[in-house]
Amino acid sequence: MKDGPHILVVDDDREIRDLLGRFLRRHGYRVETAADGRRMFAALGAGRFDLVVLDLMLPGEDGLSLCRRVRADSSLPIIMLTAVGEDTDRIVGLEVGADDYLGKPFNPRELLARIRAVLRRSAEGLRRPEENPSRCFEFQGWSLDAARRRLQAPGGEPVVLTAGEFSLLLAFLEHPGRVLTRDQLLDLTRGREAGPFDRSVDIQVSRLRRKIEGDPKRPELIKTVRSGGYVFAGTVRESP
C-alpha cells in the first residue's frame, strides 16, 4: 500500500469521504480527503497525487470551477462525481477537463473500475521513454512527442494535454486523412472499459480544437464529417 497510487477524494459529505477512503485503501491505494476547494489545493500543494475524485456540488467554489483551475496548468486525472440525471453538469464537467464522471449514488466498485481505467490511460503516456517507442509527429508547425506526451505549439510553447486529449490527438495523428467514427475513436482512445458517456468524443474533440486550432469554430485540422465522425485534415509527418 505504501507505493500504491495516491488518490485525493474531495467531497463535503464526511460519510462518503470516510467510506471511499476505507474502500480504496483496502484495494491498495493511498488516500487523502478534503471537504472543499481550499483544503483540496492545500493537499495538492503539499503532496503528489495520481488522481482526484472531485464532487461537483461543494460549499464555496464548486467542482467545475476547481476542475477548470487544475486544468489551467496540469494534466492530473480527475473523475467528477455528479448528481444522477444532471446531464448538463456532466457535459460541462467533461468540457472543462474531467477525464470521466460518475453519477451519485454510485457503487464503490464502479468508481474503482473507473479509477483503474483512467490511471491506466494516463500511465500509457507517462512510461519511461525506453518502455514506450519514441515517436514524434509534426503537423502544421506543431509537434507531439508521443513517448513523453509532450505537445509543442508552433511558437515553441508547451501545451498541457489531459490523458483523454492526448489519446484522441494520437489516434488522429496515427490515422490522418481517414474518417474515424465515434465508435472507432472510443475504441482507439478508451477501449470502452469504463462505459464512457456517449457524447464524450464530441466533447473531447471540442476541447482539443480549442488547443490546436487557430479558430475552433472553423477548424482546419479536425474536421467534422456529417453522419460519419471526424477526420484529421492536416499533413502529418512522423519521425522516429
Side-chain angles (χ1 to χ4, degrees):
M1 183 175 298
K2 179 181 178 181
D3 297 323
H6 200 186
I7 308 296
L8 177 60
V9 176
V10 184
D11 198 302
D12 63 329
D13 189 320
R14 181 175 180 178
E15 185 176 349
I16 290 178
R17 295 198 307 270
D18 292 345
L19 182 151
L20 290 181
R22 292 193 301 270
F23 180 79
L24 294 174
R25 290 183 188 104
R26 287 202 304 270
H27 287 83
Y29 294 92
R30 293 177 293 139
V31 182
E32 290 188 34
T33 63
D36 54 31
R38 181 179 62 81
R39 294 179 177 87
M40 167 185 163
F41 279 103
L44 291 175
R48 178 189 177 280
F49 291 88
D50 298 287
L51 182 142
V52 176
V53 177
L54 177 61
D55 187 29
L56 174 65
M57 300 300 295
L58 292 171
E61 191 172 3
D62 65 24
L64 293 177
S65 177
L66 294 172
C67 181
R68 188 180 291 109
R69 286 176 59 189
V70 171
R71 277 292 165 266
D73 59 6
S74 171
S75 60
L76 176 66
I78 297 174
I79 295 179
M80 186 85 67
L81 301 180
T82 69
V84 170
E86 296 296 332
D87 288 342
T88 300
D89 289 338
R90 297 177 187 182
I91 292 171
V92 174
L94 292 171
E95 286 179 339
V96 300
D99 294 273
D100 205 348
Y101 76 92
L102 186 61
K104 287 183 173 181
F106 57 87
N107 186 320
R109 292 190 176 278
E110 183 176 0
L111 176 61
L112 177 64
R114 291 172 184 267
I115 287 173
R116 287 171 172 168
V118 171
L119 288 176
R120 183 162 55 248
R121 293 198 300 271
S122 180
E124 287 173 357
L126 295 175
R127 293 172 183 161
R128 295 190 302 272
E130 61 268 23
E131 295 176 346
N132 210 20
S134 180
R135 305 174 65 193
C136 292
F137 297 87
E138 296 181 0
F139 60 98
Q140 313 301 111
W142 292 79
S143 64
L144 178 73
D145 184 332
R148 296 174 175 82
R149 202 172 65 176
R150 293 176 182 168
L151 178 63
Q152 185 171 292
E157 307 88 0
V159 177
V160 176
L161 294 175
T162 66
E165 291 164 354
F166 166 78
S167 297
L168 182 63
L169 179 57
L170 184 60
F172 280 128
L173 296 181
E174 290 178 333
H175 304 86
R178 174 181 168 185
V179 176
L180 298 173
T181 66
R182 292 177 177 83
D183 285 344
Q184 288 173 322
L185 287 169
L186 285 172
D187 288 333
L188 288 168
T189 61
R190 299 175 65 110
R192 296 180 176 272
E193 74 282 325
F197 183 55
D198 60 4
R199 304 299 290 183
S200 62
V201 165
D202 302 302
I203 295 168
Q204 292 273 15
V205 167
S206 177
R207 281 166 40 186
L208 189 56
R209 279 172 171 165
R210 290 200 293 268
K211 293 187 176 182
I212 68 173
E213 297 278 7
D215 182 356
K217 295 182 179 180
R218 296 181 176 83
E220 297 294 331
L221 295 174
I222 304 175
K223 292 184 174 293
T224 301
V225 178
R226 188 179 297 277
S227 301
Y230 297 97
V231 61
F232 193 85
T235 300
V236 179
R237 183 170 68 88
E238 181 179 357
S239 59

